[in-house]
């Protein structure tokens, strides 16, 4: 992890550690989970990694026991609108999120912008889908 200004840059090793933390918690927090689905875009890579590590099938069809995965619950709006019963994230920001996932790898209690290894390094500090197009 590298902190520069108000941004935290995560490496692939950081990501692997976060996914391992989630994989340890998932059986205890969501024992009925039988498949995983990642929210596009941030949840796709962690979901595939969790699918492989836990031997759970990846699916695009969310069933009653599908674990819906995203990278971060920042505002919580994406997960609040997500289908499914079970949710997991790499980072949960309880001080800014309107949604509490079932399980998370780490709480992120500060306001730094987290940049995951699959994102552009000059990523703006707002989700691109929240920026109105002109």
């Amino acid at each position: 992890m590298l902190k520069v200004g108000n941004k935290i840059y995560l490496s692939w090793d950081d990501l692997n550690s976060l996914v391992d933390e989630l994989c340890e918690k998932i059986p205890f927090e969501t024992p009925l989970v039988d498949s995983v689905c990642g929210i596009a875009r941030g949840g796709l890579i962690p979901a595939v990694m969790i699918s492989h590590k836990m031997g759970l099938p990846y699916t695009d069809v969310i069933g009653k026991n599908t674990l819906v995965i995203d990278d971060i619950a920042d505002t919580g709006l994406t997960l609040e609108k997500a289908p499914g019963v079970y949710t997991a994230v790499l980072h949960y920001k309880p001080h800014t999120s309107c949604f509490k996932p079932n399980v998370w790898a780490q709480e992120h209690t500060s306001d730094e912008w987290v940049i995951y290894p699959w994102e552009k390094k000059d990523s703006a500090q707002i989700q691109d889908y929240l920026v109105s197009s002109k």
Side-chain angles (χ1 to χ4, degrees):
M1 175 177 72
L2 173 65
K3 183 177 176 188
V4 178
N6 199 39
K7 293 183 180 182
I8 295 176
Y9 297 87
L10 299 178
S11 68
W12 286 105
D13 286 338
D14 296 327
L15 178 64
N16 274 318
S17 295
L18 290 166
V19 168
D20 286 344
E21 286 184 52
L22 262 183
C23 288
E24 289 175 16
K25 295 176 180 180
I26 289 168
F28 298 102
E29 301 295 329
T30 56
L32 300 177
V33 164
D34 60 10
S35 59
V36 297
C37 179
I39 292 180
R41 296 177 305 188
L44 291 174
I45 292 172
V48 170
M49 292 173 73
I50 290 166
S51 170
H52 285 294
K53 287 184 182 217
M54 296 191 69
L56 293 169
Y58 183 90
T59 182
D60 289 326
V61 179
I62 298 172
K64 68 178 184 170
N65 292 327
T66 300
L67 181 63
V68 177
I69 299 170
D70 205 359
D71 52 358
I72 190 168
D74 190 346
T75 64
L77 295 175
T78 302
L79 286 167
E80 184 178 57
K81 296 175 186 174
V85 175
Y86 302 111
T87 54
V89 295
L90 301 173
H91 290 103
Y92 169 50
K93 293 179 79 170
H95 62 293
T96 61
S97 182
C98 67
F99 182 88
K100 183 177 182 180
N102 297 96
V103 61
W104 55 89
Q106 293 181 349
E107 271 191 17
H108 184 69
T109 56
S110 58
D111 290 322
E112 294 94 359
W113 189 253
V114 179
I115 299 177
Y116 295 92
W118 58 82
E119 296 179 308
K120 293 175 16 179
K121 299 302 177 211
D122 62 348
S123 196
Q125 294 186 39
I126 185 167
Q127 294 91 341
D128 58 356
Y129 59 85
L130 294 178
V131 177
S132 61
S133 53
K134 296 178 181 183

Short mmCIF file of all heavy atoms in Angstrom, two decimals, residues 57-97:
data_model
loop_
_atom_site.label_atom_id
_atom_site.label_comp_id
_atom_site.label_asym_id
_atom_site.label_seq_id
_atom_site.Cartn_x
_atom_site.Cartn_y
_atom_site.Cartn_z
N PRO A 57 -18.84 -21.35 -7.70
CA PRO A 57 -19.04 -20.93 -9.08
C PRO A 57 -19.31 -19.44 -9.20
O PRO A 57 -19.96 -18.86 -8.33
CB PRO A 57 -20.26 -21.74 -9.54
CG PRO A 57 -20.96 -22.13 -8.30
CD PRO A 57 -19.93 -22.21 -7.21
N TYR A 58 -18.78 -18.84 -10.26
CA TYR A 58 -19.09 -17.46 -10.59
C TYR A 58 -20.35 -17.48 -11.44
O TYR A 58 -20.49 -18.30 -12.34
CB TYR A 58 -17.95 -16.78 -11.36
CG TYR A 58 -18.26 -15.33 -11.64
CD1 TYR A 58 -17.89 -14.35 -10.73
CD2 TYR A 58 -18.98 -14.95 -12.77
CE1 TYR A 58 -18.21 -13.02 -10.94
CE2 TYR A 58 -19.31 -13.63 -12.98
CZ TYR A 58 -18.93 -12.68 -12.07
OH TYR A 58 -19.27 -11.37 -12.28
N THR A 59 -21.27 -16.57 -11.16
CA THR A 59 -22.52 -16.54 -11.91
C THR A 59 -22.90 -15.11 -12.25
O THR A 59 -22.52 -14.17 -11.55
CB THR A 59 -23.66 -17.21 -11.10
OG1 THR A 59 -24.86 -17.20 -11.89
CG2 THR A 59 -23.93 -16.48 -9.79
N ASP A 60 -23.65 -14.96 -13.33
CA ASP A 60 -24.22 -13.66 -13.67
C ASP A 60 -25.68 -13.57 -13.22
O ASP A 60 -26.28 -12.51 -13.24
CB ASP A 60 -24.15 -13.42 -15.18
CG ASP A 60 -22.74 -13.17 -15.65
OD1 ASP A 60 -21.95 -12.57 -14.90
OD2 ASP A 60 -22.41 -13.59 -16.78
N VAL A 61 -26.23 -14.71 -12.82
CA VAL A 61 -27.61 -14.78 -12.36
C VAL A 61 -27.59 -14.88 -10.84
O VAL A 61 -27.11 -15.87 -10.28
CB VAL A 61 -28.35 -16.00 -12.97
CG1 VAL A 61 -29.78 -16.06 -12.46
CG2 VAL A 61 -28.31 -15.93 -14.49
N ILE A 62 -28.10 -13.87 -10.17
CA ILE A 62 -28.04 -13.82 -8.71
C ILE A 62 -29.20 -14.59 -8.12
O ILE A 62 -30.36 -14.24 -8.31
CB ILE A 62 -28.03 -12.36 -8.23
CG1 ILE A 62 -26.78 -11.66 -8.76
CG2 ILE A 62 -28.10 -12.29 -6.71
CD1 ILE A 62 -26.73 -10.19 -8.52
N GLY A 63 -28.85 -15.66 -7.41
CA GLY A 63 -29.84 -16.49 -6.73
C GLY A 63 -29.95 -16.10 -5.27
O GLY A 63 -29.28 -15.17 -4.79
N LYS A 64 -30.77 -16.85 -4.52
CA LYS A 64 -31.00 -16.49 -3.12
C LYS A 64 -29.76 -16.68 -2.25
O LYS A 64 -29.66 -16.06 -1.19
CB LYS A 64 -32.18 -17.27 -2.54
CG LYS A 64 -31.95 -18.75 -2.39
CD LYS A 64 -33.16 -19.42 -1.77
CE LYS A 64 -32.84 -20.89 -1.53
NZ LYS A 64 -33.86 -21.53 -0.73
N ASN A 65 -28.79 -17.48 -2.67
CA ASN A 65 -27.58 -17.70 -1.89
C ASN A 65 -26.31 -17.24 -2.62
O ASN A 65 -25.22 -17.74 -2.36
CB ASN A 65 -27.45 -19.17 -1.51
CG ASN A 65 -28.52 -19.58 -0.52
OD1 ASN A 65 -28.95 -18.80 0.31
ND2 ASN A 65 -28.99 -20.80 -0.63
N THR A 66 -26.47 -16.29 -3.53
CA THR A 66 -25.33 -15.73 -4.24
C THR A 66 -24.73 -14.58 -3.43
O THR A 66 -25.47 -13.72 -2.93
CB THR A 66 -25.75 -15.20 -5.63
OG1 THR A 66 -26.30 -16.28 -6.39
CG2 THR A 66 -24.57 -14.60 -6.38
N LEU A 67 -23.41 -14.58 -3.31
CA LEU A 67 -22.71 -13.50 -2.65
C LEU A 67 -22.36 -12.44 -3.69
O LEU A 67 -21.64 -12.71 -4.64
CB LEU A 67 -21.42 -14.02 -1.98
CG LEU A 67 -20.58 -13.00 -1.23
CD1 LEU A 67 -21.37 -12.41 -0.04
CD2 LEU A 67 -19.29 -13.65 -0.74
N VAL A 68 -22.90 -11.24 -3.53
CA VAL A 68 -22.66 -10.13 -4.44
C VAL A 68 -21.45 -9.35 -3.91
O VAL A 68 -21.46 -8.91 -2.75
CB VAL A 68 -23.90 -9.22 -4.55
CG1 VAL A 68 -23.62 -8.03 -5.45
CG2 VAL A 68 -25.09 -10.02 -5.06
N ILE A 69 -20.43 -9.19 -4.76
CA ILE A 69 -19.16 -8.61 -4.33
C ILE A 69 -18.87 -7.30 -5.05
O ILE A 69 -19.06 -7.20 -6.26
CB ILE A 69 -18.02 -9.63 -4.58
CG1 ILE A 69 -18.30 -10.90 -3.77
CG2 ILE A 69 -16.66 -9.03 -4.24
CD1 ILE A 69 -17.40 -12.05 -4.10
N ASP A 70 -18.38 -6.33 -4.28
CA ASP A 70 -17.90 -5.08 -4.85
C ASP A 70 -16.57 -4.74 -4.19
O ASP A 70 -16.20 -5.36 -3.19
CB ASP A 70 -18.92 -3.96 -4.64
CG ASP A 70 -18.81 -2.84 -5.67
OD1 ASP A 70 -17.93 -2.92 -6.55
OD2 ASP A 70 -19.60 -1.89 -5.60
N ASP A 71 -15.86 -3.75 -4.75
CA ASP A 71 -14.56 -3.41 -4.18
C ASP A 71 -14.69 -2.62 -2.88
O ASP A 71 -14.01 -2.91 -1.91
CB ASP A 71 -13.69 -2.66 -5.20
CG ASP A 71 -14.36 -1.45 -5.83
OD1 ASP A 71 -15.55 -1.18 -5.53
OD2 ASP A 71 -13.71 -0.78 -6.65
N ILE A 72 -15.60 -1.64 -2.85
CA ILE A 72 -15.70 -0.77 -1.68
C ILE A 72 -17.13 -0.31 -1.47
O ILE A 72 -17.86 -0.08 -2.43
CB ILE A 72 -14.75 0.45 -1.83
CG1 ILE A 72 -14.64 1.25 -0.53
CG2 ILE A 72 -15.14 1.32 -3.01
CD1 ILE A 72 -13.51 2.27 -0.53
N ALA A 73 -17.54 -0.22 -0.22
CA ALA A 73 -18.81 0.42 0.14
C ALA A 73 -18.43 1.81 0.63
O ALA A 73 -18.12 2.01 1.79
CB ALA A 73 -19.54 -0.37 1.21
N ASP A 74 -18.38 2.75 -0.31
CA ASP A 74 -17.98 4.13 -0.01
C ASP A 74 -19.23 4.94 0.32
O ASP A 74 -19.49 5.24 1.47
CB ASP A 74 -17.22 4.70 -1.20
CG ASP A 74 -16.56 6.03 -0.91
OD1 ASP A 74 -16.88 6.64 0.11
OD2 ASP A 74 -15.73 6.46 -1.71
N THR A 75 -20.02 5.25 -0.69
CA THR A 75 -21.32 5.87 -0.41
C THR A 75 -22.35 4.80 -0.07
O THR A 75 -23.32 5.08 0.63
CB THR A 75 -21.83 6.67 -1.62
OG1 THR A 75 -22.07 5.77 -2.70
CG2 THR A 75 -20.86 7.76 -2.04
N GLY A 76 -22.15 3.60 -0.60
CA GLY A 76 -23.08 2.51 -0.36
C GLY A 76 -24.21 2.45 -1.36
O GLY A 76 -25.02 1.52 -1.35
N LEU A 77 -24.29 3.41 -2.26
CA LEU A 77 -25.42 3.49 -3.19
C LEU A 77 -25.45 2.31 -4.17
O LEU A 77 -26.53 1.81 -4.49
CB LEU A 77 -25.38 4.81 -3.96
CG LEU A 77 -25.58 6.06 -3.10
CD1 LEU A 77 -25.40 7.32 -3.93
CD2 LEU A 77 -26.93 6.04 -2.42
N THR A 78 -24.30 1.86 -4.62
CA THR A 78 -24.27 0.74 -5.57
C THR A 78 -24.82 -0.52 -4.91
O THR A 78 -25.68 -1.19 -5.47
CB THR A 78 -22.83 0.48 -6.06
OG1 THR A 78 -22.34 1.66 -6.67
CG2 THR A 78 -22.80 -0.66 -7.07
N LEU A 79 -24.33 -0.83 -3.72
CA LEU A 79 -24.79 -2.04 -3.04
C LEU A 79 -26.22 -1.92 -2.54
O LEU A 79 -26.94 -2.92 -2.47
CB LEU A 79 -23.85 -2.37 -1.88
CG LEU A 79 -22.52 -2.94 -2.31
CD1 LEU A 79 -21.53 -2.94 -1.15
CD2 LEU A 79 -22.68 -4.35 -2.86
N GLU A 80 -26.64 -0.72 -2.21
CA GLU A 80 -28.02 -0.51 -1.75
C GLU A 80 -29.00 -0.90 -2.86
O GLU A 80 -30.09 -1.40 -2.59
CB GLU A 80 -28.21 0.95 -1.36
CG GLU A 80 -29.57 1.26 -0.77
CD GLU A 80 -29.70 2.71 -0.35
OE1 GLU A 80 -29.49 3.60 -1.21
OE2 GLU A 80 -30.02 2.95 0.82
N LYS A 81 -28.59 -0.70 -4.11
CA LYS A 81 -29.45 -1.02 -5.25
C LYS A 81 -29.21 -2.42 -5.82
O LYS A 81 -29.91 -2.85 -6.72
CB LYS A 81 -29.22 0.02 -6.36
CG LYS A 81 -29.62 1.42 -5.96
CD LYS A 81 -29.25 2.42 -7.02
CE LYS A 81 -29.52 3.83 -6.54
NZ LYS A 81 -29.06 4.83 -7.47
N ALA A 82 -28.20 -3.10 -5.30
CA ALA A 82 -27.83 -4.41 -5.85
C ALA A 82 -28.85 -5.48 -5.47
O ALA A 82 -29.39 -5.46 -4.36
CB ALA A 82 -26.45 -4.82 -5.35
N PRO A 83 -29.09 -6.41 -6.38
CA PRO A 83 -29.97 -7.52 -6.05
C PRO A 83 -29.24 -8.50 -5.15
O PRO A 83 -28.02 -8.47 -5.03
CB PRO A 83 -30.26 -8.15 -7.42
CG PRO A 83 -29.06 -7.80 -8.24
CD PRO A 83 -28.59 -6.46 -7.75
N GLY A 84 -29.97 -9.36 -4.51
CA GLY A 84 -29.37 -10.40 -3.69
C GLY A 84 -29.47 -10.10 -2.20
O GLY A 84 -29.78 -8.98 -1.79
N VAL A 85 -29.18 -11.12 -1.41
CA VAL A 85 -29.29 -11.04 0.03
C VAL A 85 -27.94 -10.84 0.69
O VAL A 85 -27.81 -10.12 1.67
CB VAL A 85 -29.95 -12.33 0.58
CG1 VAL A 85 -29.99 -12.34 2.10
CG2 VAL A 85 -31.34 -12.52 0.01
N TYR A 86 -26.90 -11.46 0.13
CA TYR A 86 -25.57 -11.46 0.74
C TYR A 86 -24.62 -10.55 -0.03
O TYR A 86 -24.55 -10.60 -1.24
CB TYR A 86 -25.00 -12.87 0.79
CG TYR A 86 -25.88 -13.84 1.55
CD1 TYR A 86 -26.55 -14.86 0.90
CD2 TYR A 86 -26.04 -13.72 2.93
CE1 TYR A 86 -27.34 -15.75 1.59
CE2 TYR A 86 -26.84 -14.60 3.63
CZ TYR A 86 -27.49 -15.61 2.97
OH TYR A 86 -28.28 -16.48 3.66
N THR A 87 -23.86 -9.74 0.71
CA THR A 87 -22.93 -8.80 0.09
C THR A 87 -21.58 -8.83 0.80
O THR A 87 -21.51 -9.05 2.01
CB THR A 87 -23.48 -7.37 0.13
OG1 THR A 87 -23.80 -7.03 1.48
CG2 THR A 87 -24.71 -7.22 -0.75
N ALA A 88 -20.52 -8.58 0.02
CA ALA A 88 -19.17 -8.53 0.57
C ALA A 88 -18.37 -7.48 -0.18
O ALA A 88 -18.57 -7.27 -1.39
CB ALA A 88 -18.49 -9.88 0.45
N VAL A 89 -17.46 -6.81 0.53
CA VAL A 89 -16.59 -5.80 -0.06
C VAL A 89 -15.19 -5.95 0.50
O VAL A 89 -14.99 -6.49 1.59
CB VAL A 89 -17.10 -4.36 0.19
CG1 VAL A 89 -18.44 -4.12 -0.51
CG2 VAL A 89 -17.20 -4.05 1.67
N LEU A 90 -14.23 -5.41 -0.25
CA LEU A 90 -12.86 -5.37 0.25
C LEU A 90 -12.73 -4.31 1.35
O LEU A 90 -12.11 -4.55 2.37
CB LEU A 90 -11.89 -5.05 -0.89
CG LEU A 90 -11.89 -6.04 -2.06
CD1 LEU A 90 -11.02 -5.53 -3.19
CD2 LEU A 90 -11.43 -7.42 -1.59
N HIS A 91 -13.33 -3.14 1.12
CA HIS A 91 -13.28 -2.04 2.08
C HIS A 91 -14.69 -1.52 2.37
O HIS A 91 -15.47 -1.29 1.45
CB HIS A 91 -12.44 -0.88 1.55
CG HIS A 91 -10.99 -1.19 1.48
ND1 HIS A 91 -10.35 -1.48 0.30
CD2 HIS A 91 -10.05 -1.26 2.46
CE1 HIS A 91 -9.08 -1.73 0.56
NE2 HIS A 91 -8.87 -1.59 1.85
N TYR A 92 -14.96 -1.31 3.64
CA TYR A 92 -16.23 -0.75 4.09
C TYR A 92 -15.94 0.56 4.82
O TYR A 92 -15.10 0.60 5.72
CB TYR A 92 -16.93 -1.74 5.02
CG TYR A 92 -18.11 -1.20 5.77
CD1 TYR A 92 -19.13 -0.52 5.12
CD2 TYR A 92 -18.24 -1.40 7.14
CE1 TYR A 92 -20.23 -0.03 5.81
CE2 TYR A 92 -19.34 -0.92 7.84
CZ TYR A 92 -20.33 -0.24 7.17
OH TYR A 92 -21.42 0.23 7.85
N LYS A 93 -16.61 1.63 4.38
CA LYS A 93 -16.44 2.94 5.01
C LYS A 93 -17.71 3.26 5.83
O LYS A 93 -18.65 3.85 5.30
CB LYS A 93 -16.19 4.00 3.94
CG LYS A 93 -14.86 3.82 3.21
CD LYS A 93 -14.65 4.85 2.14
CE LYS A 93 -14.20 6.15 2.74
NZ LYS A 93 -13.74 7.11 1.71
N PRO A 94 -17.72 2.86 7.10
CA PRO A 94 -18.95 3.03 7.89
C PRO A 94 -19.35 4.48 8.10
O PRO A 94 -20.53 4.77 8.30
CB PRO A 94 -18.60 2.36 9.23
CG PRO A 94 -17.12 2.36 9.29
CD PRO A 94 -16.63 2.28 7.87
N HIS A 95 -18.40 5.40 8.00
CA HIS A 95 -18.71 6.81 8.25
C HIS A 95 -19.30 7.51 7.02
O HIS A 95 -19.81 8.62 7.13
CB HIS A 95 -17.47 7.55 8.74
CG HIS A 95 -16.32 7.58 7.78
ND1 HIS A 95 -15.62 6.46 7.42
CD2 HIS A 95 -15.77 8.61 7.10
CE1 HIS A 95 -14.67 6.80 6.56
NE2 HIS A 95 -14.74 8.09 6.34
N THR A 96 -19.27 6.86 5.85
CA THR A 96 -19.83 7.49 4.65
C THR A 96 -20.87 6.63 3.94
O THR A 96 -21.61 7.12 3.10
CB THR A 96 -18.72 7.83 3.63
OG1 THR A 96 -18.06 6.63 3.23
CG2 THR A 96 -17.72 8.81 4.22
N SER A 97 -20.92 5.33 4.25
CA SER A 97 -21.78 4.41 3.51
C SER A 97 -23.18 4.33 4.12
O SER A 97 -23.34 4.18 5.33
CB SER A 97 -21.16 3.01 3.49
OG SER A 97 -21.97 2.12 2.75
#
